[in-house]
Structure formats: C-alpha cells, structure tokens
Amino acid sequence: MTVALPLAQSLLACLEDSLTVNPPAQVCLRAGEFVNPQISTTEDECCSGLAWVRIVGTDPLILRGQEDLTFGCFNHMRATVLEMGVVRCMPTPDADTLVSCDQWTALTAQMEADHTAMEAALCCLRELVRGGTVPAITDVALYVGEYAPRGPDGRCLGATLAVRAEHGCSCGSGG
C-alpha cells in the first residue's frame, strides 16, 4: 500500500471532525484531476455542502547528489500532495433582485469557518503523524500549501487547501 491513501483517509477524518459550523452533508474522498460537485434532479452536493480530500499526486523527491537507481523505489523519498476542499451553495435571489450584502457576508463567514476547519484538520493530521497512528507511515514531514478560493461556478463557491507530505517510499525494506 502506498502512503497516499492512509494519509488521505486520516486527513479526511480530521477534516470531518473539524467541520463543526454548518457541517456539509457529504464528506468523502474524491478521485480524479479535479472535483466537480454532483447534481441530479433531486440532489445538489454543492447546496447540501460538500467537503473532500483528494490525492493530487505523488512525485519522487530527489535530493541533489542522492540519486538512487537501485531496483525498486529508485529513490527513497516521495512527496505526496493532498487537496482538501469545501464548497457551498451561493445565495440565489429572485429574478428581479440581487444577492444582498448580508447574504454575501454570511457566505464569506461560512467560507472562513471552513478555512479554519481545514487548518484545524492539518493540525490534527500533524498530531496523528507525530503519534504514529497513521497506518503505513513512519516518518513524514508536512507542509501547508496554498489556500485558494474556487468559483463561483454555477451556484457553487468554496475553496481548497493543499498539503504536501514528504515521506519514504513504500518499497519493503527500501523505504
């Protein structure tokens, strides 16, 4: 098993525990290049609230002078990037009105509460890693990435926060 999935699952549990202000209806792992909230004729993930953790990718971490071309890992370090995200429904006024300043303020406050929850989830993950309770992980360094608003897209507005984890690879004794 790679380190990415246990890290993602642990971060997701931390995020779910941290989202205490108007928790989203869906909190789950998502796969793929990006996350698009689902919509059907009866459900709208954006308007019910969606939070996720996504494995963005894992790259070799090659230190200058440390190239290792042995069979297996090739080099013994990896950098995995995870993305946390939360989207919410934008206010939708009637055809003859605009979204009010009070509605924008409430949405901004919710987005800041979500940002605070994402930061708390990172602290939680750090403590799990330090405590040795994340499966398959023995040594990892965590780095906070960019917090980036997303949207508006349709009726969705939200943000993502990236975390970079530098760790050994999962090649048996090589790692």
Side-chain angles (χ1 to χ4, degrees):
M1 174 188 299
T2 69
V3 172
L5 184 58
L7 266 175
Q9 290 169 322
S10 297
L11 183 57
L12 182 69
C14 289
L15 179 59
E16 186 167 24
D17 288 346
S18 299
L19 287 164
T20 58
V21 177
N22 188 23
Q26 296 289 325
V27 181
C28 55
L29 291 176
R30 287 293 174 98
E33 185 178 354
F34 51 87
V35 174
N36 272 340
Q38 299 178 84
I39 190 168
S40 72
T41 57
T42 59
E43 294 182 65
D44 182 342
E45 278 186 325
C46 182
C47 286
S48 61
L50 171 65
W52 69 89
V53 170
R54 178 176 72 89
I55 300 169
V56 175
T58 300
D59 292 319
L61 182 62
I62 299 173
L63 304 173
R64 188 170 297 160
Q66 297 285 325
E67 294 83 10
D68 180 359
L69 300 177
T70 59
F71 181 75
C73 283
F74 300 102
N75 65 320
H76 297 287
M77 295 297 292
R78 298 283 189 264
T80 297
V81 177
L82 303 175
E83 172 191 85
M84 282 185 286
V86 181
V87 290
R88 304 289 184 163
C89 193
M90 289 182 51
T92 306
D94 296 331
D96 59 343
T97 61
L98 298 175
V99 175
S100 72
C101 286
D102 288 344
Q103 290 172 306
W104 278 115
T105 299
L107 182 56
T108 301
Q110 180 63 62
M111 288 180 64
E112 278 305 300
D114 293 341
H115 182 192
T116 299
M118 287 189 254
E119 294 283 348
L122 290 173
C123 293
C124 168
L125 180 64
R126 180 187 65 202
E127 293 308 311
L128 291 177
V129 167
R130 283 183 179 167
T133 59
V134 179
I137 297 176
T138 56
D139 187 28
V140 64
L142 299 172
Y143 300 93
V144 178
E146 180 183 15
Y147 172 81
R150 68 180 265 162
D153 182 15
R155 293 174 38 189
C156 284
L157 193 62
T160 58
L161 180 63
V163 59
R164 177 183 169 98
E166 294 180 358
H167 52 84
C169 71
S170 55
C171 296
S173 64

